[in-house]
Amino acid sequence: MSSARPATLEQWLAHIEQQHPQAIAMGLDRVREVAQRMQLGQPAARCIVVGGTNGKGSTVAFIEAIARAAGWKVGAYTSPHLLAYNERVRIDGQDVDDARLVAGFNAVEDARGDTALTYFEYGTLCALWLFQQAGLDLAVLEVGLGGRLDAVNIIDADVSVITTVDIDHADWLGNDRETIGEEKAGIIRGWKPVILGEIDPPSSVLRRAYVLGANAIRFGSDFFAEAIDAERWRWRDVSFRIELPQPALWAPVQRNNAATAIAALRALDKPVPRAAWAQGVAEASVVGRLQRFQRDGVEVLLDVGHNPQAASALAAALKAQPVPGRTLAVYAALADKDAEGVVEALQAQVDGWYLAGLEGPRGQRAAQLQARMPATAAAAAVLADGVQQALDAALAAAGEGDRVLLFGSFHTVAEALPLLRSAG
């Protein structure tokens, strides 16, 4: 049997895509059973689990960067990836190499028996196995979908984080914030802190924390992020305050994510040197979060934002840093997203729209995307078959001082990123 196993990472990824009849299969019984066979305990001396609708990846990056600046050995597990699967598993700030991922997948396969696992469950167990081998001070784990029934939730976090709660993945999580909040709140643990990254979380989240005796620490109520000037801001709670540089991740919402990350690390009750807070905030970076390129005097921004809440944060970022010319938007979205809500949130900041098609089972053609939002500014958009064609058209129309925003999903950014990088 072992001789028939995949040998390379590419082969393994193809293999695990075929192992469960559903791409998403909610529930923890199967993954917990395999984890027990693998003798997986806590993946690190301390563990933070990060859930929420938007801001998860950036919050993980801030936690990771600050903890590493403090001298800790840190593992981070995030999803999805943009260009290479290795991006999902980082140890000591480096993506794990193919050989170690293959070893991890083999360890999962050794224990799996007849239990069917989804792609995400394979990846989660592989990451937890690698982290357990690594002797980490801290593991930071990003929830894939929801929380209560997500594979990451087999781990009991020392601190849970729920960044924001908004409408997304409605087919799986529900159609309103209260129902979605109930799913997100599944990562809260009894008598352990939960950091809430918004001042007005759903009552379902607060109720769950209360029932479990978890200490809910809320942004804007228990900790604060206050602007000082263009370069600096202040984090404070009742017993601690510190002045910090603006994050390298420059959208205004990133200061909230940084503040939430600081609150999470402070809740661990493991000392962090004062200088590490500022160093981590300044150094944290995530590909595809308002990532900047320059093309012949045109600023190009890439962002993975794919729901109305993320689009509102994008609009605030564009408004905060205006350009002398026009802003042209290249938008490509998966078919199950609220495209109309996204365009409505952004249209006041955009002067022209370009819509692109996306391939794949959840993709859609540009004309289909446009037909879903006839009452928005994107009803008059230029249509293109794919992301490259739409980006080329927008850049051809843009002049010096203009800005092109390309956004809408991880798939959209993943198609554009190599094009922009290869152009220098």
Side-chain angles (χ1 to χ4, degrees):
M1 178 180 170
S2 60
S3 61
R5 281 192 188 181
T8 66
L9 177 58
E10 188 178 3
Q11 290 167 353
W12 266 109
L13 296 176
H15 174 73
I16 66 177
E17 278 186 334
Q18 307 303 321
Q19 293 310 299
H20 194 282
Q22 296 167 266
I24 300 171
M26 307 294 265
L28 299 180
D29 291 345
R30 290 169 294 102
V31 72
R32 187 175 276 135
E33 182 182 333
V34 179
Q36 287 170 348
R37 290 186 210 145
M38 293 174 71
Q39 299 184 312
L40 293 179
Q42 289 296 91
R46 288 173 172 81
C47 185
I48 297 175
V49 169
V50 180
T53 303
N54 292 308
K56 295 191 295 290
S58 298
T59 301
V60 169
F62 283 118
I63 293 170
E64 180 187 18
I66 294 166
R68 293 194 67 238
W72 305 0
K73 187 171 187 181
V74 184
Y77 176 56
T78 59
S79 64
H81 60 276
L82 275 169
L83 301 181
Y85 186 90
N86 312 63
E87 297 165 26
R88 295 183 180 222
V89 188
R90 291 191 302 279
I91 295 176
D92 267 344
Q94 299 297 313
D95 296 347
V96 168
D97 62 29
D98 287 13
R100 284 189 289 174
L101 287 168
V102 166
F105 285 132
N106 270 303
V108 176
E109 196 72 2
D110 287 341
R112 182 176 69 85
D114 296 329
T115 304
L117 296 173
T118 67
Y119 183 90
F120 184 76
E121 289 166 346
Y122 261 102
T124 300
L125 291 167
C126 172
L128 294 174
W129 184 83
L130 289 166
F131 288 166
Q132 188 168 279
Q133 316 291 311
L136 301 176
D137 299 304
L138 174 67
V140 195
L141 310 174
E142 179 187 345
V143 169
L145 177 63
R148 183 174 65 91
L149 298 176
D150 185 83
V152 165
N153 202 32
I154 64 171
I155 297 300
D156 290 324
D158 296 291
V159 175
S160 302
V161 177
I162 299 173
T163 54
T164 62
V165 178
D166 207 63
I167 312 299
D168 201 6
H169 301 293
D171 289 351
W172 294 98
L173 304 179
N175 291 302
D176 60 86
R177 286 183 80 229
E178 289 299 326
T179 307
I180 293 170
E182 206 164 307
E183 293 299 319
K184 305 287 187 190
I187 64 173
I188 299 173
R189 291 297 186 266
W191 310 107
K192 299 286 178 68
V194 55
I195 312 301
L196 305 176
E198 54 190 345
I199 193 168
D200 187 26
S203 57
S204 56
V205 174
L206 297 171
R207 188 164 55 244
R208 182 67 179 163
Y210 178 78
V211 165
L212 292 174
N215 181 20
I217 302 168
R218 199 187 319 184
F219 179 83
S221 176
D222 303 300
F223 65 95
F224 302 87
E226 301 163 337
I228 298 172
D229 55 36
E231 278 78 44
R232 302 192 67 74
W233 61 289
R234 179 187 299 109
W235 190 97
R236 68 175 175 88
D237 65 9
V238 70
S239 62
F240 180 74
R241 65 176 55 209
I242 188 168
E243 290 189 7
L244 297 159
Q246 296 293 356
L249 291 164
W250 61 271
V253 72
Q254 294 295 0
R255 196 167 65 204
N256 297 8
N257 293 332
T260 301
I262 291 169
L265 284 163
R266 282 185 48 74
L268 274 183
D269 203 25
K270 177 178 167 70
V272 173
R274 198 169 182 91
W277 300 112
Q279 183 183 335
V281 166
E283 291 180 355
S285 66
V286 194
V287 175
R289 273 61 166 192
L290 273 183
Q291 189 172 356
R292 273 193 176 108
F293 294 87
Q294 289 291 331
R295 285 291 165 273
D296 302 322
V298 176
E299 179 182 75
V300 182
L301 299 176
L302 301 189
D303 196 89
V304 296
H306 53 265
N307 54 46
Q309 187 185 56
S312 295
L314 266 178
L318 298 178
K319 189 174 182 179
Q321 294 206 7
V323 291
R326 301 169 302 156
T327 293
L328 306 178
V330 175
Y331 178 41
L334 297 174
D336 55 0
K337 299 301 176 183
D338 179 6
E340 185 175 26
V342 165
V343 171
E344 285 174 349
L346 263 166
Q347 59 190 5
Q349 302 300 322
V350 173
D351 302 295
W353 288 88
Y354 295 76
L355 302 181
L358 286 176
E359 298 292 329
R362 294 164 64 204
Q364 61 187 333
R365 297 192 310 277
Q368 292 173 301
L369 174 59
Q370 187 180 47
R372 294 172 55 202
M373 39 191 186
T376 69
V382 175
L383 304 186
D385 287 341
V387 170
Q388 179 170 357
Q389 294 91 330
L391 178 58
D392 287 345
L395 286 171
E400 190 166 339
D402 289 344
R403 169 166 59 196
V404 172
L405 168 69
L406 184 142
F407 77 106
S409 78
F410 278 80
H411 300 273
T412 310
V413 171
E415 287 192 38
L417 199 53
L419 305 172
L420 290 163
R421 282 180 172 170
S422 66

